[in-house]
Amino acid sequence: MKIVSFNVNGLRAILKKDFLGFIEAYKPDILGLQETKIQQAQIPNEIEGLQGYHKFWDFAEKAGYSGTCLLSKDKPKKVSYDIGDSTFSKEGRIILAEYDKFALFNIYFPNGKKDDERLKYKLGFYDQFLVYIEKLRKKQKNIIVMGDFNTAHQDIDLTHPKANEEFSGFLPIERAWIDSFISKGYVDTFRYFDKNPLQYSWWTYRLNARQKNVGWRIDYCFVTTELMPKVKSAFIWKDVFGSDHCPVGIEIK
């Protein structure tokens, strides 16, 4: 089973850049999208009519902002859109799909760069998510968490760590939360298989950053330690274009 996460930075925009060709070529079994930037009335016909997938959406209250989508070949037993606190359920960031053998979160975590208030919101979201997933884990040990975390974890995960250590996205407090998350038994699947530098999932559109590979790894696929023996591989598909992010994901047995 191929499970893929992709921040598309606008679903309508990426559809003009052969997004359907990507789906046809790579054939993900589950595809989680972040930053769709649409409302329910704006779901593109190309996605509505896409054969072979069940489709689930979480829309932000604010138009043209945030938003997530889950495309799944198998129909989940249950789908929900919150992490137990309505404060964090208004921006279309959360899809939890529960299947027979595992549960999967597709999440677009907040960006904290705008100001201190948004950083506080981001950290609050992180903390509430951890409370919620730990509660879920008591009944389901096999959990996948994929999406745009909006934080690079370690120096190896961005090109210029020293220059960014005082900015949201690489603050010690944000990185410490990922440390805490991992310490509770969640595995960064890509780093489990690949310890090499220069592996990124996001590049600014400015200064030819992608061509120069000046980037950040802020998109992840985590799994619980209980599920890790089933993970065959983890990947970053940096040759897939159309967004300022590229797809990441795993193959599981």
Side-chain angles (χ1 to χ4, degrees):
M1 179 178 278
K2 202 180 295 179
I3 298 174
V4 180
S5 170
F6 194 2
N7 181 320
V8 294
N9 194 11
L11 182 55
R12 288 173 295 179
I14 202 171
L15 277 167
K16 299 173 183 176
K17 303 172 184 176
D18 199 28
F19 180 63
L20 294 182
F22 154 71
I23 294 175
E24 176 60 30
Y26 286 85
K27 296 179 172 58
D29 295 285
I30 299 175
L31 176 58
L33 308 179
Q34 304 93 43
E35 212 170 351
T36 53
K37 297 183 179 180
I38 61 170
Q39 303 298 114
Q40 186 163 7
Q42 299 171 314
I43 296 174
N45 292 332
E46 298 96 319
I47 301 298
E48 194 69 75
L50 188 63
Q51 298 297 307
Y53 288 97
H54 301 276
K55 306 161 188 91
F56 306 93
W57 304 85
D58 193 18
F59 306 102
E61 290 182 359
K62 179 181 175 182
Y65 178 72
S66 189
T68 48
C69 172
L70 189 74
L71 306 177
S72 178
K73 288 184 177 179
D74 291 334
K75 187 176 182 179
K77 294 190 304 178
K78 179 183 177 183
V79 178
S80 51
Y81 305 91
D82 70 82
I83 50 173
D85 186 333
S86 60
T87 306
F88 304 110
S89 300
K90 300 175 182 178
E91 296 187 353
R93 297 183 176 275
I94 305 152
I95 301 177
L96 168 59
E98 298 181 57
Y99 299 85
D100 286 330
K101 295 184 178 181
F102 64 92
L104 179 143
F105 285 94
N106 174 40
I107 299 195
Y108 177 37
F109 289 88
N111 188 315
K113 288 183 178 179
K114 182 182 176 184
D115 52 36
D116 289 345
E117 185 177 338
R118 284 306 290 181
L119 177 60
K120 183 179 179 182
Y121 184 85
K122 176 183 182 179
L123 296 173
F125 190 109
Y126 274 167
D127 291 341
Q128 178 59 28
F129 169 70
L130 189 52
V131 168
Y132 191 82
I133 192 173
E134 285 291 276
K135 199 173 293 183
L136 175 65
R137 199 173 180 185
K138 291 176 181 177
K139 64 176 183 176
Q140 173 57 272
K141 300 297 184 184
N142 297 325
I143 304 176
I144 299 166
V145 184
M146 64 180 185
D148 178 357
F149 279 63
N150 262 311
T151 297
H153 182 209
Q154 298 175 322
D155 286 4
I156 194 176
D157 295 315
L158 70 167
T159 308
H160 299 301
K162 192 68 179 174
N164 286 285
E165 59 188 12
E166 295 183 3
F167 297 97
S168 180
F170 199 58
L171 291 172
I173 193 170
E174 296 167 320
R175 299 164 63 196
W177 183 87
I178 295 182
D179 288 334
S180 173
F181 185 51
I182 290 171
S183 75
K184 292 186 180 297
Y186 300 89
V187 181
D188 178 350
T189 55
F190 184 78
R191 278 290 171 241
Y192 180 89
F193 291 104
D194 193 326
K195 305 294 194 296
N196 297 310
L198 306 177
Q199 305 294 325
Y200 308 127
S201 65
W202 175 80
W203 305 260
T204 178
Y205 281 131
R206 296 179 287 111
L207 304 173
N208 294 318
R210 189 158 186 171
Q211 293 87 330
K212 298 174 183 175
N213 198 29
V214 177
W216 298 52
R217 190 174 74 96
I218 57 176
D219 303 270
Y220 300 86
C221 190
F222 283 92
V223 303
T224 50
T225 51
E226 294 90 342
L227 186 57
M228 193 62 209
K230 296 289 187 183
V231 180
K232 293 171 60 180
S233 66
F235 49 81
I236 294 177
W237 287 335
K238 61 185 179 182
D239 294 327
V240 175
F241 294 87
S243 171
D244 50 351
H245 295 250
C246 73
V248 305
I250 56 173
E251 283 190 285
I252 62 172
K253 298 175 186 175

